[in-house]
Amino acid sequence: MQEQEEVQAPLISLLILAARIVEREFAEALAPFSLAPAQFAIIDLLDRTGDLRPAVIARALDVETSTITLSLKRAERDGLVSRVPDPTDARSILISLCPDGLDRLLPARKAMTAVEDRLTEGLTQEHRAALRFAMNLITKQRR
């Protein structure tokens, strides 16, 4: 059998494949904490920023308002977040991280770090920095 030369896949194909792998690994790592990827993204954002309006969460996570509404209902049902009145606007609400959400977030973050380490195993610190730079550039351009 003749060994075939490795064919260079188009960058978009590699990005799509990488996204699928990351999503699968992400979901598997979060399962022991009874967190869906969307829930993790919400509570991680709230922990880093403080209370936010639902529309701000949707923009930050680059999802439709209807999608975030459903995700927030599930997160609230699971005791991860709560709705609180917005002190600056009586017509609005803020989403607040609950203690149970924080309790589940902290070990889940460690699991995410382990996933990141596993997925980037073999990359030098310079390669990791270049990857982070490229991903930040791609995501910021599309928002």
Side-chain angles (χ1 to χ4, degrees):
M1 179 179 250
Q2 194 175 26
E3 199 172 308
Q4 293 182 342
E5 276 188 44
E6 185 177 327
V7 177
Q8 290 289 332
L11 181 56
I12 191 67
S13 297
L14 293 172
L15 286 170
I16 291 167
L17 178 59
R20 287 182 184 145
I21 291 168
V22 169
E23 185 69 27
R24 183 181 61 242
E25 296 272 337
F26 191 33
E28 288 173 4
L30 290 174
F33 308 103
S34 299
L35 287 173
Q39 291 175 319
F40 176 83
I42 291 166
I43 63 176
D44 181 60
L45 177 65
L46 291 172
D47 184 53
R48 289 184 286 114
T49 62
D51 299 353
L52 294 172
R53 290 182 179 168
V56 174
I57 296 171
R59 276 194 307 277
L61 299 180
D62 195 30
V63 297
E64 297 292 324
T65 305
S66 58
T67 302
I68 205 65
T69 299
L70 181 58
S71 295
L72 289 172
K73 283 181 184 178
R74 290 178 179 159
E76 187 174 25
R77 175 200 66 205
D78 294 346
L80 304 173
V81 301
S82 62
R83 296 168 192 267
V84 296
D86 184 338
T88 64
D89 183 350
R91 300 167 294 161
S92 297
I93 61 151
L94 296 173
I95 304 299
S96 181
L97 181 61
C98 289
D100 187 45
L102 184 59
D103 289 345
R104 287 163 59 184
L105 174 63
L106 299 178
R109 272 191 183 144
K110 289 181 183 175
M112 291 299 91
T113 299
V115 167
E116 182 180 320
D117 289 344
R118 193 169 55 252
L119 291 172
T120 58
E121 188 176 32
L123 296 181
T124 65
Q125 287 301 329
E126 293 79 20
H127 288 136
R128 286 181 185 213
L131 179 59
R132 180 178 302 281
F133 177 81
M135 300 307 329
N136 276 324
L137 189 61
I138 290 168
T139 58
K140 286 179 183 173
Q141 286 177 345
R142 296 295 162 236
R143 287 190 173 183

